[in-house]
Amino acid sequence: VLYNGFLSGVSLDGSKYFYQNPLRTYGNFERHTWFGPNCCPPNVARLIASLGKYIYATSGKNIYVNLFVGSTLATAFNDIPVQITQETGYPWEGNVKITVAPEEKTDFTLLVRIPGWTGSEPIPGDLYSFLDNDRSAVTLTLNGKVLNAPVSKGYFTVKRKWNKGDVIGVEMPMKVRKVIANEKVADDAGMVALERGPIVYCAEGIDNNGKIMNLYIPDSARFTGQYEPQLLGGVVKLTGNVEAVTRGEDGISTVTGGTTMTAVPYFAWANRGEGEMSVWMARDQAHVVIPPAPSIASASTVTSSCGTGSLADNYPG
């Protein structure tokens, strides 16, 4: 929710908002500064301001690390001050360093959440599944040594007497994985989405010669991630070899050829102008969308009494 659903609703400069989060558009869709019902932009500001309350939790002699965010927690057990500090490049990197610093040696339990995406399903339930079974276990270390900590309800559980300067390390796999939807989701049939860590990706026309609906990602395609500090505020972009379907010289036949596709985090789309975008990409030629052969329909312009069908026409508030 934080990295994909919520974050995609606001522009990178924080001044424009989506009222809905489309997963595919042929263009003419952008964020706006104002909406008639003004409940959503304030909710964005409120969540950002309260994010610190979601990172940690305490209960009895337990400290829960729920989110991997560079941060510091100050708490106490039996009047002994305890400080927890996180250092991480998450979500671009899978390494997290958690430094435990009690004022004096004391015992309590540190519980570190294991993100669901590191397992065998993108989210609980059967709505989505990974196309592959390529999963790697999350590794936990204590002061540099691998720790076989028990797992309880999705958390590593480390109960011990802590010394100032103890370090818990978390290593999570950051592979690019393909996601497919339940076969009952008709709109996603024959389609695939890309995910790296907790981040859902999309393809935008601006990175792919203006068109992405004519591309398909074979099941054999492999994608690699590269951090680009100057792109969209600093993100990991994905690149992979895919197939492109175009019209032949006669305007009727189709031609298929290999090309390179670039994908960016879905939360950052629509920050570089309007254009095609899709989270769900075709897996084969049968599911691509290419312009129809020339006809009277392709040369026509559609208008109506409501205007051109833009967001402003249909949602004047």
Side-chain angles (χ1 to χ4, degrees), residues 3 68 88-96 115 117-118 134 136-137 171-177 195-199 201 223-225 236 238:
Y3 291 114
F68 301 122
T88 181
Y90 191 85
W92 313 123
E93 300 174 6
N95 302 324
V96 184
W117 60 261
T118 63
D134 185 12
S136 302
E171 174 71 30
M172 292 169 282
M174 283 287 176
K175 299 177 180 179
V176 180
R177 305 187 70 179
E195 182 176 343
R196 181 183 183 272
I199 303 295
Y201 279 74
F223 284 80
T224 58
V236 168
L238 306 183

Side-chain angles (χ1 to χ4, degrees), residues 201-260:
Y201 279 74
C202 70
E204 281 195 280
I206 191 172
D207 300 309
N208 297 281
N209 299 315
K211 299 289 185 180
I212 52 97
M213 302 303 176
N214 66 317
L215 306 179
Y216 73 88
I217 303 175
D219 290 352
S220 60
R222 294 291 178 265
F223 284 80
T224 58
Q226 176 67 43
Y227 183 72
E228 299 286 348
Q230 303 304 318
L231 177 64
L232 296 165
V235 299
V236 168
K237 75 173 183 181
L238 306 183
T239 55
N241 294 324
V242 302
E243 299 292 328
V245 182
T246 57
R247 289 285 176 192
E249 292 183 0
D250 59 5
I252 298 174
S253 61
T254 59
V255 179
T256 301
T259 189
T260 300

Side-chain angles (χ1 to χ4, degrees), residues 57-58 61-65 73 75 77 82 84 108-111:
T58 60
K61 298 195 73 173
N62 297 330
I63 296 179
Y64 295 83
V65 179
L73 169 72
T75 186
F77 294 110
V82 176
I84 305 292
F108 58 88
T109 301
L110 186 70
L111 298 100

Side-chain angles (χ1 to χ4, degrees), residues 33-180:
T33 57
W34 189 262
F35 291 97
N38 293 311
C39 55
C40 294
N43 280 337
V44 171
R46 180 166 54 194
L47 181 55
I48 291 175
S50 63
L51 186 62
K53 297 179 181 179
Y54 293 89
I55 301 174
Y56 304 97
T58 60
S59 177
K61 298 195 73 173
N62 297 330
I63 296 179
Y64 295 83
V65 179
N66 298 314
L67 299 176
F68 301 122
V69 180
S71 56
T72 299
L73 169 72
T75 186
F77 294 110
N78 299 326
D79 297 326
I80 299 175
V82 176
Q83 182 170 287
I84 305 292
T85 302
Q86 280 194 73
E87 300 171 73
T88 181
Y90 191 85
W92 313 123
E93 300 174 6
N95 302 324
V96 184
K97 178 183 177 182
I98 304 171
T99 303
V100 182
E103 284 297 315
E104 57 185 81
K105 198 170 184 177
T106 186
D107 64 293
F108 58 88
T109 301
L110 186 70
L111 298 100
V112 180
R113 187 177 67 87
I114 305 171
W117 60 261
T118 63
S120 58
E121 54 187 14
I123 62 173
D126 65 350
L127 180 57
Y128 303 113
S129 59
F130 288 120
L131 187 59
D132 60 65
N133 294 315
D134 185 12
R135 55 179 294 193
S136 302
V138 180
T139 303
L140 194 74
T141 61
L142 173 62
N143 297 329
K145 297 182 179 179
V146 175
L147 185 63
N148 294 316
V151 176
S152 176
K153 298 180 179 180
Y155 287 79
F156 282 122
T157 304
V158 186
K159 183 178 181 179
R160 69 189 304 267
K161 191 176 286 291
W162 297 89
N163 296 298
K164 189 171 186 178
D166 280 342
V167 174
I168 290 288
V170 185
E171 174 71 30
M172 292 169 282
M174 283 287 176
K175 299 177 180 179
V176 180
R177 305 187 70 179
K178 300 186 182 76
V179 179
I180 57 176

